[in-house]
Amino acid sequence: MGSLTDNLPTFVVLPDALGLPYNQRGNFSSGFLPVAHQGTVINAAAVQPLADLQSPKWATFITSAAEREGRDLLRESNAAHLASRDGDALLEGRIRAYELAAKMQLSAPEAFDLHRESAATRRLYGLDRPATANFGRQCLIARRLVERGVRLVQVWSGTNGPTGNWDNHASIIKELPPMAAATDQPIAGLLADLKSLGMLDDTLVLWNTEFGRMPFSQGSEGRDHNGGASVGWMAGAGVKRGVAVGETDEWSWKAVRDATTTYDFHATVLHLLGIDHERLTFRHNGADRRLTDVHGHVVQAVLA
């Protein structure tokens, strides 16, 4: 899809304030695509969301002129190194990442400065409430990044571990309500904000989870993974409003009508992004690979 800005990453990941999710960075790797397509992880909860973006205050000998000359020397050295290793996607991606980091020294501080938002906007996302402040901050930063040309932003709720997040193996009664309370207002605030700014017409918002949960208990109060049924939603660009697709059996155990696979979901998302999933291929290990493998159908019912 290309990049809309030269000063910010194309794909940004905002993990939970408590840490990365299950499978760590594997969730936003580039897969079999060139490494330049992997997500850039930014810690929205930190005082400095991007570590080491600026020189430390004690290093007064690092002047603007010195930085500029150093970057020029690095650029020449990196170009020569890459030329002698033609086709090294990892090296090329690493060079691009450092070049982007240099540009972000000017653009990133402004993008992550939420004090530039009005008090009403910060309240809309729940930044004034301890329960919603962290996730609300992630959602507001996501809107600001999209506003500034970042194409793809992942906002994560939940971290690694069997308790204290959405993976309610121990007690769905004790653990699910606080997770829902932490995300409900920020999500509503994000959608309302995007709509009021006229951004929802060309911004696709997706909400998904790792699994559904079983309709029967695990242990006493826990719920195990359910691969037979789960719920996700989408809103915004090209999506028909108020439509529900699919239905489970009476126990909410397995999908029995209009079942949608992960491949179907990805095919539909690619369609909404203007991409035909059956025609888009990438040459990998001697084969033309599709992002949906050899499966997937666009779910026409959700298209506006």
Side-chain angles (χ1 to χ4, degrees):
M1 292 173 64
S3 176
L4 296 176
T5 174
D6 293 329
N7 300 323
L8 290 168
T10 301
F11 176 15
V12 170
V13 178
L14 303 173
D16 191 292
L18 297 178
L20 293 172
Y22 280 111
N23 200 30
Q24 303 292 299
R25 294 173 183 264
N27 293 290
F28 23 86
S29 74
S30 57
F32 56 75
L33 297 176
V35 70
H37 294 289
Q38 70 184 3
T40 299
V41 181
I42 293 174
N43 184 6
V47 177
Q48 292 185 338
L50 282 168
D52 304 320
L53 194 61
Q54 303 291 344
S55 304
K57 293 182 179 180
W58 56 263
T60 55
F61 58 90
I62 303 178
T63 64
S64 297
E67 279 201 85
R68 184 169 56 254
E69 292 172 359
R71 285 198 297 269
D72 290 341
L73 178 60
L74 277 173
R75 189 178 300 110
E76 293 175 9
S77 177
N78 286 336
H81 188 56
L82 181 62
S84 66
R85 291 161 177 79
D86 187 38
D88 189 337
L90 288 173
L91 176 59
E92 185 177 3
R94 193 173 298 117
I95 291 173
R96 286 186 184 179
Y98 279 108
E99 289 176 345
L100 176 61
K103 296 176 182 177
M104 288 176 67
Q105 288 181 322
L106 296 177
S107 59
E110 186 275 336
F112 298 126
D113 185 2
L114 301 187
H115 293 291
R116 296 172 181 261
E117 299 287 341
S118 68
T121 298
R122 294 197 297 271
R123 285 196 300 271
L124 178 69
Y125 284 82
L127 268 63
D128 58 330
R129 298 175 54 230
T132 53
N134 281 330
F135 193 73
R137 186 179 299 107
Q138 292 169 253
C139 288
L140 182 51
I141 288 176
R143 190 223 77 200
R144 288 178 63 85
L145 290 173
V146 171
E147 207 171 20
R148 285 155 179 78
V150 176
R151 278 203 182 274
L152 302 168
V153 183
Q154 278 189 4
V155 179
W156 285 81
S157 168
T159 184
N160 193 354
T163 60
N165 58 26
W166 296 97
D167 208 17
N168 310 130
H169 291 284
S171 174
I172 200 167
I173 297 172
K174 295 183 179 68
E175 295 175 1
L176 183 59
M179 296 303 296
T183 55
D184 188 44
Q185 181 183 343
I187 292 167
L190 173 63
L191 294 175
D193 201 17
L194 289 172
K195 185 175 181 180
S196 69
L197 294 171
M199 296 174 62
L200 199 56
D201 293 336
D202 58 5
T203 303
L204 179 62
V205 184
L206 310 170
W207 175 269
N208 286 286
T209 183
E210 177 192 26
F211 289 103
R213 312 309 298 187
M214 284 294 188
F216 42 81
S217 65
Q218 176 185 15
S220 58
E221 297 179 349
R223 294 289 177 93
D224 204 348
H225 301 152
N226 183 4
S230 63
V231 177
W233 57 259
M234 54 178 63
V239 177
K240 185 183 294 185
R241 298 170 61 180
V243 173
V245 177
E247 184 177 315
T248 68
D249 55 32
E250 58 185 310
W251 299 285
S252 300
W253 185 30
K254 291 184 178 181
V256 295
R257 184 174 64 84
D258 296 332
T260 299
T261 67
T262 303
Y263 298 111
D264 297 335
F265 179 83
H266 287 159
T268 306
V269 170
L270 287 169
H271 176 84
L272 289 167
L273 297 177
I275 297 171
D276 185 338
H277 76 106
E278 293 183 331
R279 296 177 60 193
L280 176 66
T281 61
F282 182 81
R283 194 73 175 173
H284 176 70
N285 286 348
D288 292 327
R289 304 288 186 183
R290 280 171 34 187
L291 299 185
T292 51
D293 198 8
V294 295
H295 312 285
H297 302 280
V298 176
V299 183
Q300 298 291 335
V302 303
L303 304 181

